[in-house]
Every structure is written in C-alpha cells, then in structure tokens.
C-alpha cells in the first residue's frame, strides 16, 4: 500500500509511530482545515485591502519550553513566539505554524486594534513519545506575509530511574530562604522564595518534596546529573515566622537543614504621585529653534527625574526636589533644529517619581524663514536740460538705494506728485541695489518741481519721499 504524502513527511521528520498515526488520522480533518484556511485567508485579504497602508509586522524566532529535552516520555513541549504589529486602527492578524515535517498548521485569526506597536504572544503544544529532532516556524499571512526563522528543539526519551532504594548513589540536599526576612504589605504574590539544591554522585531521577512548618506543600520529580536547583514560593497573609525543609523521597531519603524565614506585614505608606502638565512649545524662526516649558506636580515629598525629548530623542534631563506637595515649572531652552525636524514635530516631557512615571507631548510648528528687513535710502535728484530748448522745463532723474537683510525679491513703485507712475516693479536684492526713475519737463515752463516717493510693498514695507525743484539755465540777452 502506498503511503500518503503526509505520512512520508512525518517519516522524514523522524516522528514516532504514535505521532505518525495521529498525523495520518488527522487527514480526515484536512478538508475542514483547508476551508478554514481559505476563509481566514479571505479575511486577511479583506483586512489588507481595506487599509491604506499595511502595518509593519515582525516575528520572533519560536522558542521551545524545553530546547533539548531529556527525560521520561510521553512529554509535551510548548512552542511560543511573539508577533509585533505596528497599528494605526484595526487589522486582522492571520497566522499559522509551519512544522519541520513540511506540514502546515491551521490558520488562526486575531483581531487587533489600537495605535502603536502591539505585541502578541502565540503558542502551541506538541506531544512526543519517542526521540525526535525538529523545528517550528510562524508564517504570518495578514496584514502582510512574514515568516519567522526556524526554532529548533529535540526530545530524547529516557527510561525513568528514581532514587528510592539505591545504595550506590550518594545524595545530598541543602536549602535556604531568599529573602529570609520580609517586611512590607502582605498582598497576593510570592514574598519568600525557598531554594534547594540536590546533588548526586551518579545521574539519576530524584523525587523530592518541600515541607513547610511540618506540612508537605510542594513536590516534584527531576533528573539530576550532578546537581539541580529546585524552588517554591510562599506568600503569607499575616505576620509569621517558621521554616522549610527539602526532602528526597525514598527509604533512604535525605533532608536539608531547616531554612528559616520571618514575615512582618505592614500597611504600605501612601504613594506619592507625580504628573506632567501644561506643556507649551514655541518655535523660534530666528535660527530655526524650538523651546518649551511645562509643569511638574507632586502629591508629596519626592525626588523627580525628568527628561526632555524632541521627536523621540532625549535632548536634556535634570532633577527637581519636592519637600511637600506642590508644582514646579521646568523649561527646555531653545534647541537648534535640522533636517526633517525643521518641518514640525513633537516635544515630550517624561517624569519619573518614587512611585510612578508620567509624560506629556505637544506638537511644535515648522520653522518659517524670517521676513527680510527692507530699507530705502534718501532719493537723489538729477537735472536734464535737453528739454529747455523746446521751451519746456528740465527733465528730472531720481535715484535711490534699496537694501535687504537677506537675499530676496523686492516689489516697488514710484509716485510723482501723489500719482502712482507704474505697476509693481521687481528687483532681486542681495545686499543693496540702486533703482532709478525719470520724468520729462513740463510744457511752457521754465522749471520742473513737485514731490517724488519710492514705495516698497514686498516682502517688507518701506518708502522714501522728497521734493524737487529744478529750472532751466538762464541764457544771455
């Protein structure tokens, strides 16, 4: 009889006969799994197409709960990995496990939402009853396709040998409490950790148990090559003292010395809370700089560390002390901006107190180049007598200098006797530039007189005005 493709893959993987049988039996479920995979794939595709930009995804290398297991079988090996998804709204995370025998697991879909990077821990449990070496990997299908590196593991099944009546193996046991004394709030959670060390002269399986104040509270079995550390935690609810003993189970068992402990329950002191508020940023266009100030608040006596960050990069830090409840104003001195930061960004103040941390963020405006400062010199007047021969007043030429504090394009016009002479004229100014204008002499007049103005309208307002009076030279009789 020909073997199925799945059976051949399992054989190549090196799985036991029991595992091979289970995998072949699972073929009946394959159509349902394929349907589930197709449905999940469509869900992943829909989530992707509905999002303008697919979130960034990364996957850690899977890790086995026992990288190289040696011991009694059957055994269950847990495999875990972490998937990081950078979110900006909602998305579906579709993934499956890839097995070392070439097969693929069922597609699973998790719905994620929020903003920022979200870490999702995924896992699976594999059972083995014979020696095996293999690997596992994670393949993310949506919101973008990413496959992790292979996480390797091995299982070496050994016949159980437990010390109970073995006179040829020497066993020694020691134990201690860490810490041996605790003072503080007695809330749920381990307060005293009892640690024991078992040493043997020959590699063996050892059964042991912990005895706390005369009663058995924990037990287990472990393989010891030379020495092995075992432990258990204890969380008293009231003040007490006592001891723990580590015992090796057997007719010729060993016991450690007593590991004494003491617990004193005390109510916690009211915690001091610190906060950051009233953040104000300011963009200084003179040199493109950003500064800020904010308020640090404390509900009691505290030492508070604070850090200023610009666009996520720390730029300044300091410490402020509170003798009692109060507030302090702290400042970020002007920082020169460069590159993309000149187009706007965010300033963050992070504070760290004795009991908590806090932060506040505020955007700052993009830098705008300052408007160049424009100045206009006095207008000089020049006379042209060529019109005098036609019994007209002399022509007049006007000249002035426009200066700018920065290179720019200047728009200006001339005004004669209150009337605008021309539309806006333009000149490129780098430092200073001379501009001129002229008028012809008046008909049937021996002189030309009036007022003249030079008016700058952009990028800054400036002007200069003067009066003029010129006459044709007198001729001999």
């Amino acid at each position: 009889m020909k073997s199925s493709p799945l059976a051949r893959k399992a054989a190549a993987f090196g799985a036991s006969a029991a595992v091979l049988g289970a995998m072949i039996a699972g073929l009946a479920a394959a159509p349902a799994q394929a349907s589930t995979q197709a449905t999940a794939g469509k869900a992943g595709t829909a989530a992707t197409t509905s999002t303008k930009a697919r979130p960034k995804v990364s996957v850690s290398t899977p890790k086995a709960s026992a990288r190289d297991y040696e011991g009694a079988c059957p055994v269950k090996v847990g495999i875990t990995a972490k998937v990081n998804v950078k979110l900006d709204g909602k998305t579906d995370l579709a993934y499956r496990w890839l097995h070392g025998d070439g097969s693929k697991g069922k597609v699973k879909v998790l719905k994620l939402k929020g903003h920022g990077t979200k870490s999702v821990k995924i896992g699976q449990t594999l059972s083995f009853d014979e020696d095996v070496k293999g690997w596992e990997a994670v393949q993310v299908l949506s919101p973008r396709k990413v496959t992790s590196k292979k996480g390797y593991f091995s299982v070496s099944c050994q016949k159980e040998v437990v010390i109970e009546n073995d006179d040829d193996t020497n066993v020694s046991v020691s134990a201690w409490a860490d810490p041996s004394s605790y003072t503080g709030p007695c809330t749920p959670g381990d307060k005293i950790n009892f640690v024991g060390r078992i040493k043997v002269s020959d590699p063996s399986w050892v059964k042991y148990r912990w005895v706390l104040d005369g009663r058995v509270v924990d037990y287990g079995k472990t393989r010891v090559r030379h020495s092995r550390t075992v432990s258990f935690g204890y969380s008293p609810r009231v003040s007490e003292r006592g001891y723990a003993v580590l015992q090796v189970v057997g007719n010729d068992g060993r016991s450690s010395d007593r590991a004494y402990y003491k617990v004193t329950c005390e109510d916690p002191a009211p915690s001091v809370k610190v906060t950051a508020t009233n953040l104000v940023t300011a963009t200084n266009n003179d040199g493109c700089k950003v500064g800020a100030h904010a308020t640090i608040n404390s509900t009691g006596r505290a030492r508070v560390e604070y850090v200023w960050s610009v666009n996520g990069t720390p730029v300044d830090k300091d410490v402020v002390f509170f003798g009692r409840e109060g507030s302090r104003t702290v400042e970020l001195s002007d920082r020169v901006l460069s590159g993309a930061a000149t187009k706007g960004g965010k300033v963050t103040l992070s504070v760290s107190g004795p009991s908590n941390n806090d932060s506040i963020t505020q955007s700052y405006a993009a830098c705008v180049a300052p408007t160049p400062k424009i100045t206009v010199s006095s207008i000089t007047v020049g006379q042209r007598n060529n019109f005098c021969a036609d019994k007209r007043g002399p022509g007049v030429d006007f000249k002035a200098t426009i200066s700018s504090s920065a290179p720019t394009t200047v728009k200006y016009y001339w005004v004669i006797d209150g009337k605008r002479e021309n539309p806006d004229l333009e000149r490129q100014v780098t430092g200073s530039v001379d501009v001129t204008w002229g008028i012809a002499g008046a008909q049937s007049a021996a002189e030309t007189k009036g007022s003249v103005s030079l008016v700058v309208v952009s990028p800054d307002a400036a002007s200069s005005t003067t009066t003029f009076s010129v006459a044709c030279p007198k001729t001999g009789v």
Side-chain angles (χ1 to χ4, degrees):
M1 180 179 69
K2 294 183 178 180
S3 61
S4 69
L6 181 59
R8 291 195 297 272
K9 291 179 180 178
F13 180 59
S16 66
V19 175
L20 178 60
M23 295 175 67
I24 296 173
L27 282 171
Q33 291 183 8
S35 176
T36 304
Q37 292 173 1
T39 302
K42 290 179 180 179
T45 302
T48 302
T49 56
S50 64
T51 305
K52 293 182 179 179
R54 291 183 297 173
K56 294 183 178 179
V57 178
S58 63
V59 190
S60 67
T61 302
K63 292 185 179 180
S65 56
R67 173 66 172 79
D68 297 297
Y69 174 81
E70 294 183 4
C73 292
V75 63
K76 292 183 178 181
V77 177
I79 310 292
T80 59
K82 184 181 291 185
V83 182
N84 293 324
V85 183
K86 191 172 183 181
L87 293 172
D88 188 14
K90 297 180 180 180
T91 191
D92 286 348
L93 171 63
Y95 71 93
R96 62 186 173 189
W97 288 94
L98 305 181
H99 309 304
D101 64 348
S103 63
K104 300 175 182 178
K106 179 180 178 181
V107 175
K108 298 182 179 180
V109 179
L110 299 175
K111 294 187 177 295
L112 307 179
K113 64 180 181 178
H115 298 275
T117 300
K118 186 176 184 65
S119 295
V120 180
K121 187 175 182 181
I122 59 175
Q124 62 172 343
T125 301
L126 305 176
S127 296
F128 302 97
D129 59 5
E130 289 187 1
D131 294 357
V132 65
K133 289 185 178 180
W135 56 263
E136 292 291 306
V138 177
Q139 185 180 58
V140 175
L141 302 174
S142 175
R144 67 172 65 228
K145 194 169 183 180
V146 178
T147 302
S148 73
K149 294 182 180 179
K150 298 175 181 178
Y152 293 88
F153 67 94
S154 66
V155 173
S156 178
C157 297
Q158 298 181 1
K159 186 178 179 180
E160 181 177 341
V161 178
V162 179
I163 295 179
E164 289 183 350
N165 296 289
D166 191 347
D167 295 333
D168 295 332
T169 301
N170 295 320
V171 182
S172 63
V173 188
S174 59
W176 60 93
D178 182 23
S180 59
S181 178
Y182 171 80
T183 300
C186 290
T187 55
D190 293 344
K191 301 299 184 301
I192 304 295
N193 189 38
F194 293 99
V195 184
R197 181 174 288 116
I198 302 172
K199 294 183 179 180
V200 297
S201 58
D202 298 307
S204 307
W205 280 89
V206 177
K207 289 183 177 179
Y208 66 90
R209 66 184 182 185
W210 284 98
V211 179
L212 180 67
D213 296 328
R215 67 185 189 279
V216 177
V217 293
D218 192 28
Y219 57 89
K221 180 174 63 177
T222 184
R223 179 169 177 79
V224 184
R225 293 183 179 275
H226 302 291
S227 68
R228 175 68 70 121
T229 298
V230 295
S231 63
F232 86 97
Y234 178 51
S235 179
R237 298 299 183 90
V238 296
S239 298
E240 63 179 73
R241 63 177 64 200
Y243 66 91
V245 175
L246 175 62
Q247 295 179 343
V248 171
V249 178
N251 295 335
D252 191 21
R254 301 287 190 272
S255 296
S256 69
D257 293 334
R258 292 182 175 183
Y260 290 97
Y261 72 94
K262 178 183 178 181
V263 173
T264 304
C265 295
E266 292 184 353
D267 292 332
S271 60
V272 175
K273 183 180 180 180
V274 297
T275 55
T277 59
N278 303 328
L279 174 57
V280 178
T281 63
T283 302
N284 184 351
N285 292 320
D286 185 9
C288 194
K289 304 171 185 176
V290 65
H293 66 267
T295 303
I296 298 178
N297 314 284
S298 177
T299 60
R301 182 182 181 88
R303 177 183 184 273
V304 182
E305 297 180 356
Y306 65 92
V307 178
W308 287 103
S309 300
V310 177
N311 297 321
T313 301
V315 296
D316 196 11
K317 63 180 180 179
D318 207 341
V319 177
V320 63
F321 294 91
F322 290 86
R324 57 183 179 180
E325 179 181 1
S327 300
R328 299 283 191 279
T329 298
V330 293
E331 294 185 0
L332 172 66
S333 58
D334 282 353
R335 316 291 300 189
V336 176
L337 302 172
S338 61
T342 62
K343 299 178 181 179
K346 295 181 178 181
V347 174
T348 300
L349 174 64
S350 302
V351 297
S352 177
S355 304
N356 75 299
N357 301 324
D358 192 26
S359 66
I360 186 171
T361 299
Q362 179 68 44
S363 299
Y364 67 85
C367 293
V368 178
T371 302
K373 181 65 178 176
I374 304 298
T375 58
V376 178
S377 69
S378 298
I379 301 172
T380 59
V381 177
Q383 179 176 343
R384 286 179 284 113
N385 296 322
N386 55 316
F387 292 98
C388 294
D390 296 330
K391 297 181 179 181
R392 299 174 63 180
V396 185
D397 294 325
F398 309 106
K399 179 180 178 182
T401 302
I402 300 176
S403 301
S404 174
S405 60
T408 188
T409 299
V410 174
K411 291 184 178 182
Y412 66 97
Y413 60 87
W414 292 91
V415 177
I416 305 296
D417 293 333
K419 291 182 61 178
R420 181 166 173 165
E421 287 284 291
N422 51 271
D424 287 349
L425 303 174
E426 290 188 2
R427 291 292 298 274
Q428 296 294 322
V429 180
T430 301
S432 298
V433 66
D434 291 336
V435 293
T436 59
W437 191 250
I439 61 175
Q443 291 284 353
S444 302
E447 62 177 348
T448 306
K449 61 182 179 179
S451 64
V452 58
S453 297
L454 173 61
V455 180
V456 176
V457 294
S458 175
D460 188 20
S463 64
S464 180
T465 301
T466 190
T467 59
F468 60 91
S469 178
V470 293
C472 290
K474 295 180 179 181
T475 58
V477 179

